[in-house]
C-alpha cells in the first residue's frame, strides 16, 4: 500500500513540475518575444534619428563641418578679406573709406536691442527705442506683420534695421538673424517684447547693475501694480536691487 501511495505522490509531483515547467517555458517565450520587439523598436528609432541627422547635416546652411569644407575648397580663390568668420548688425555707408572701415571695426560698450514689432504697438515701440538709442544701442525690428513702410515716419527709423516676415514668432527671427557669429561682438543683447512699459526704466542704470553683479542673463523686474503678471518671481522686490 505504501508503494502505491508513494507512486501516486511521485506522479502528482511530476505532473505539477511539468505544469510549472510549461508555464516557465511560456513565460520565457513571451519575454523573448517582448525583448525582440523592444530591440526592433530601439533599432528603428535609432536608425530614423541617424537618417534625420544625416539629412539635416546635408541641407543645413549653418553646418560647421560643411562650411569649413566649403571654405577650404571653393572660397580659396576669393580675394583676401572678403570672407570673415564674424560679422555684426552695424549699418555702413555704401561707399566707405579706410578710416570709416577702421572706425566701424572698433567695438566699445556696444549693445543690441531686438524687438518683434507690429504696427498696433508702434507708439510703445517708439518709446522703447527712444530710451535705448542714446545709450549706444543698435536697434533691429522684426516685423511679424510684414508692415515696414508705416514706420518710416519716425525720425530714428533709418537708423534701425528692419526685417519683415509674415506671422513669425520672435524666436523664429532670433534663431535666423541673431546668430552667434553676428552678435558676439555686442556686450549685451536685449530681446524684448513690444508691449513692455519703459516709463520708469533706465537702460544705463540697468546695465550698471548687471555688470556689477556679473549677470550673464537677466530681465528687468515687473512693477507690482502691473496688470499682466504671469509669474510672481518676476515682480520687483522693493528693498533689493535684484533677486535671483
Amino acid at each position: 500500500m505504501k508503494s502505491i501511495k508513494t507512486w501516486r505522490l511521485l506522479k502528482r509531483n511530476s505532473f505539477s513540475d511539468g505544469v510549472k515547467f510549461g508555464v516557465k517555458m511560456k513565460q520565457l517565450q513571451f519575454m523573448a518575444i517582448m525583448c525582440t520587439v523592444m530591440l526592433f523598436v530601439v533599432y528603428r528609432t535609432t536608425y530614423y534619428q541617424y537618417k534625420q541627422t544625416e539629412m539635416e547635416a546635408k541641407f543645413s546652411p549653418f553646418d560647421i563641418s560643411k562650411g569649413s569644407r566649403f571654405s577650404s575648397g571653393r572660397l580659396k580663390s576669393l580675394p583676401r578679406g572678403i570672407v570673415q568668420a564674424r560679422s555684426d548688425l552695424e549699418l555702413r555707408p555704401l561707399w566707405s573709406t579706410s578710416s570709416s572701415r577702421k572706425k566701424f571695426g572698433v567695438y566699445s560698450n556696444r549693445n543690441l536691442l531686438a524687438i518683434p514689432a507690429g504696427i498696433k504697438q508702434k507708439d510703445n515701440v517708439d518709446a522703447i527705442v527712444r530710451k535705448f538709442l542714446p545709450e549706444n544701442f543698435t536697434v533691429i525690428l522684426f516685423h511679424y506683420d510684414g508692415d515696414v513702410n508705416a514706420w518710416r515716419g519716425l525720425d530714428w527709423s533709418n537708423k534701425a534695421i528692419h526685417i519683415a516676415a509674415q506671422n513669425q514668432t520672435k524666436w523664429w527671427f532670433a534663431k535666423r538673424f541673431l546668430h552667434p557669429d553676428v552678435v558676439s561682438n555686442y556686450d549685451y543683447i536685449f530681446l524684448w517684447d513690444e508691449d513692455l512699459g519703459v516709463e520708469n526704466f533706465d537702460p544705463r542704470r540697468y546695465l550698471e547693475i548687471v555688470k556689477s553683479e556679473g549677470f550673464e542673463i537677466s530681465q528687468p523686474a515687473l512693477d507690482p501694480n502691473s496688470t499682466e503678471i504671469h509669474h510672481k518671481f518676476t515682480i520687483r522686490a522693493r528693498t533689493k536691487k535684484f533677486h535671483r
Side-chain angles (χ1 to χ4, degrees):
M1 292 295 292
K2 287 183 179 180
S3 60
I4 294 173
K5 289 182 179 180
T6 304
W7 180 79
R8 287 178 179 176
L9 182 61
L10 289 172
K11 188 175 181 181
R12 285 181 185 174
N13 290 339
S14 61
F15 177 77
S16 61
D17 290 342
V19 172
K20 291 179 180 178
F21 179 78
V23 171
K24 287 182 179 179
M25 285 296 294
K26 289 182 178 180
Q27 289 178 345
L28 288 173
Q29 290 176 356
F30 177 76
M31 290 177 64
I33 293 172
M34 288 299 298
C35 288
T36 303
V37 171
M38 290 176 65
L39 286 172
F40 178 78
V41 171
V42 171
Y43 167 77
R44 294 297 301 177
T45 303
T46 306
Y47 180 78
Y48 174 77
Q49 291 176 345
Y50 168 76
K51 297 302 289 185
Q52 281 290 110
T53 304
E54 193 176 44
M55 288 179 64
E56 289 174 0
K58 183 178 180 181
F59 296 107
S60 175
F62 299 109
D63 184 76
I64 296 174
S65 60
K66 182 180 178 180
S68 61
R69 291 195 301 269
F70 185 74
S71 298
S72 61
R74 298 182 182 180
L75 299 184
K76 279 185 177 180
S77 59
L78 293 175
R80 185 179 179 181
I82 288 183
V83 179
Q84 296 184 3
R86 294 182 180 180
S87 185
D88 54 51
L89 292 167
E90 300 304 304
L91 297 175
R92 288 168 172 77
L94 184 60
W95 303 106
S96 59
T97 62
S98 58
S99 59
S100 64
R101 285 194 296 270
K102 186 177 180 181
K103 176 184 175 182
F104 284 110
V106 177
Y107 286 85
S108 178
N109 299 323
R110 195 70 185 172
N111 307 300
L112 179 67
L113 172 66
I115 307 176
I119 195 60
K120 292 181 180 180
Q121 291 287 347
K122 180 180 178 180
D123 292 339
N124 197 65
V125 172
D126 181 33
I128 296 173
V129 173
R130 291 184 186 280
K131 281 270 187 176
F132 280 85
L133 272 180
E135 304 302 330
N136 206 27
F137 273 81
T138 299
V139 177
I140 178 171
L141 298 184
F142 300 134
H143 299 281
Y144 58 81
D145 57 1
D147 191 350
V148 178
N149 292 329
W151 298 80
R152 300 300 184 192
L154 299 173
D155 55 1
W156 50 262
S157 180
N158 290 336
K159 300 176 183 177
I161 299 168
H162 300 267
I163 297 177
Q166 288 277 1
N167 301 324
Q168 301 302 320
T169 66
K170 66 179 177 182
W171 298 116
W172 184 92
F173 286 103
K175 287 194 294 183
R176 287 157 179 80
F177 300 103
L178 301 183
H179 190 276
D181 290 342
V182 177
V183 301
S184 60
N185 286 323
Y186 298 96
D187 293 337
Y188 291 93
I189 303 167
F190 285 65
L191 182 57
W192 272 27
D193 291 334
E194 60 184 341
D195 58 349
L196 290 175
V198 292
E199 294 83 1
N200 302 312
F201 181 75
D202 185 346
R204 181 182 300 178
R205 177 60 180 149
Y206 182 79
L207 287 176
E208 288 175 356
I209 296 173
V210 169
K211 291 176 181 178
S212 64
E213 299 299 332
F215 293 150
E216 294 293 333
I217 183 170
S218 63
Q219 75 170 54
L222 299 177
D223 189 284
N225 297 322
S226 298
T227 56
E228 294 189 15
I229 296 178
H230 302 290
H231 305 284
K232 290 184 177 180
F233 65 84
T234 60
I235 300 175
R236 186 182 72 245
R238 295 184 182 277
T239 59
K240 299 178 181 179
K241 288 193 300 183
F242 67 90
H243 65 268
R244 299 179 186 273

